[in-house]
Amino acid sequence: MNTTPLLHMSAISKSFPGVKALDRVDFTVQPGEIMALLGENGAGKSTLMRILDGVFTPDSGQIFWRGQPVQIRSPQDAKNLGISMIHQELALVPYLDVAKNIYLGREPAGLLPGTIDWTTLYEQAHQQLARLDLDVDPRTPVRDLPLAQQQMVEVAKALSLSAQLIVMDEPTSSLSNAEVAVLFRTMRALKEQGVSIVFISHRLNEIFAIADRVTVLRDGSLVGSEPLQGMTADALIRMMVGRELGETNQRPAGEDVQSQRQPILEVRNLSRAGILHDINFTLYEGEILGVAGLVGAGRTELAETIFSVHPPTQGDILLRGQKLRLRRPADAIRAGIALVTEDRKGQGLFLRMEVGANISVRILHQLARFGLIRWRDSQHLAQEYVDKLGVRTPSVRQKVRNLSGGNQQKVVIAKWLTLKPQVLILDEPTRGIDVGAKGEIHRLMRELASQGVGILMISSELPEVLGVSDRVLVMRGGRVVAEMNPRLATQDDIMRAATGAKTS
Ligand SMILES: Nc1ncnc2c1ncn2[C@@H]1O[C@H](COP(=O)(O)OP(=O)(O)OP(=O)(O)O)[C@@H](O)[C@H]1O
Ligand SMILES: [Mg+2]
């Protein structure tokens, strides 16, 4: 294969204070290729892509575009070359419609100066959407679209800028399986049109399903670039972590947890008008209760109702047999209930504050009621949890916004663990977390359970639900529609219950 690569990043290095994020990394993408970029949390993937997008300047190294050396000093430079980024946090304007978002700032001019040719705008938007095989009305406000379609609007926008290379940094982490399928169809269509894609994901099955080649980074260094054909998942994981991973199944064999233990949380006839319908279940001491279901099944709403973000319209919540009167999350926290949300940026973290402060903020709140707290103690505490969860950071003084996505998630979990809750609700706890760290979080959950904590784990990843839970509830349409024993149930069983398909 002697074609000139579309993109060649050569010997790229980048350091941040206390971190060598990239060390002479080479990265090459061929025209019309889907290149996966893989590595543990903090390996340097997003940093490499931000250099390509002109957000960061490399300390050294050179970028070649179609064989020519180029300087990319800003995202605008990158766009002018034909490079588009689709970030995990979408950059659309929610209240504007699809067409206006695609052509924001580049609207076709009308006949009179300063006017916009709306007919052409909608016509062109329609064509871009058709190119992606997308059945979306260009007049729909973006906020009314499901997340996957919003992402497609970003793709359409990239295409309208004649992007030759589209970088997707963890585009699938908040999509349902069906939405991932739609995204993949779009990616294949782009590839056929000669567009190249860099695809970042922690889900190996997705990488095998869609990518042609994979580039693996470890600790800021290039491990290698390989075609995926003929590669096994084990080989890929070895490249990524540099060692074999232990058993991921964290469930203790054979024992039936709920038969021996005390109920810790009881949910009775819980309803929220139009959202949750008559939910009943019991969580036992030391149990990990998995909650499966499709996006929109009501799982997050259930978690938020138990945590009193929203009041139920009916029903009771009992903690160790006592009926709780919860009006707001602070009441739930006081009762010993913690919720780790799926949206770490929105609710979980103070990005501008240090790791240490983020971890100890909750407990400080509590301790403050008893008077004096020493700053040094809070730093020790933070360090203890950083070690326990393997958060990769040069120190607890690092600002959270400077951590990689997966390590930010670990900080959210650490923050709640400092409260030593009796009931821990985890909403998608390992989303965006690499396979190695995933195992660490599962082990930690198991350890907490063995200390008697009751854990409610919402997860869209069926292997996780089946591998980690002692018992599984399946939700659909705001109801609990099935309870399963993960030792006997299969992924198919869960999917059938979650979609309401008939058993064959
Ligand atoms: N602006 C910054 N200031 C300081 N350190 C940073 C900054 N951006 C990234 N880092 C550090 O650089 C390293 C690489 O981070 P990067 O975000 O590239 O990882 P990643 O491979 O994308 O991880 P993830 O899978 O968790 O998203 C990490 O140690 C991170 O903490
Ligand atoms: Mg990243």
Side-chain angles (χ1 to χ4, degrees), residues 14-22 37-50 56 88 169-170 200-202 217 219-220 344 392-394 398-408 432-434:
K14 176 77 187 172
S15 291
F16 298 107
V19 189
K20 183 130 208 181
L22 294 170
L37 185 54
L38 180 70
E40 293 184 273
N41 297 130
K45 305 177 294 290
S46 297
T47 304
L48 187 66
M49 291 302 105
R50 285 188 193 129
F56 293 149
Q88 202 175 345
D169 195 346
E170 297 195 42
I200 302 181
S201 171
H202 287 292
L217 298 181
D219 288 332
R344 58 182 170 246
R392 277 212 213 171
T393 175
Q398 177 74 296
K399 297 233 181 346
V400 164
R401 66 189 303 172
N402 293 340
L403 296 192
S404 77
N407 283 299
Q408 291 181 0
I433 296 222
D434 71 57

Side-chain angles (χ1 to χ4, degrees), residues 37-165:
L37 185 54
L38 180 70
E40 293 184 273
N41 297 130
K45 305 177 294 290
S46 297
T47 304
L48 187 66
M49 291 302 105
R50 285 188 193 129
I51 287 173
L52 179 60
D53 197 30
V55 175
F56 293 149
T57 319
D59 301 336
S60 60
Q62 177 79 78
I63 302 176
F64 299 88
W65 184 250
R66 301 182 189 284
Q68 301 297 317
V70 288
Q71 302 278 341
I72 304 177
R73 293 197 185 82
S74 67
Q76 191 56 49
D77 283 356
K79 280 204 186 70
N80 293 344
L81 288 173
I83 299 169
S84 261
M85 296 277 151
I86 296 179
H87 298 282
Q88 202 175 345
E89 296 83 28
L90 299 177
L92 299 171
V93 187
Y95 54 86
L96 290 184
D97 70 25
V98 169
K100 287 178 185 145
N101 263 290
I102 295 179
Y103 292 102
L104 194 67
R106 304 176 289 125
E107 295 88 353
L111 284 175
L112 296 172
T115 60
I116 291 172
D117 178 354
W118 295 109
T119 319
T120 308
L121 177 90
Y122 286 102
E123 185 55 36
Q124 288 182 352
H126 182 76
Q127 280 169 18
Q128 289 300 346
L129 295 168
R131 234 180 118 183
L132 295 173
D133 213 355
L134 263 188
D135 187 20
V136 172
D137 181 353
R139 292 176 194 275
T140 318
V142 156
R143 62 163 172 241
D144 294 346
L145 296 176
L147 203 56
Q149 294 197 346
Q150 293 188 20
Q151 222 147 22
M152 300 307 167
V153 174
E154 288 257 31
V155 175
K157 186 168 179 169
L159 280 183
S160 76
L161 288 158
S162 331
Q164 285 304 299
L165 177 71

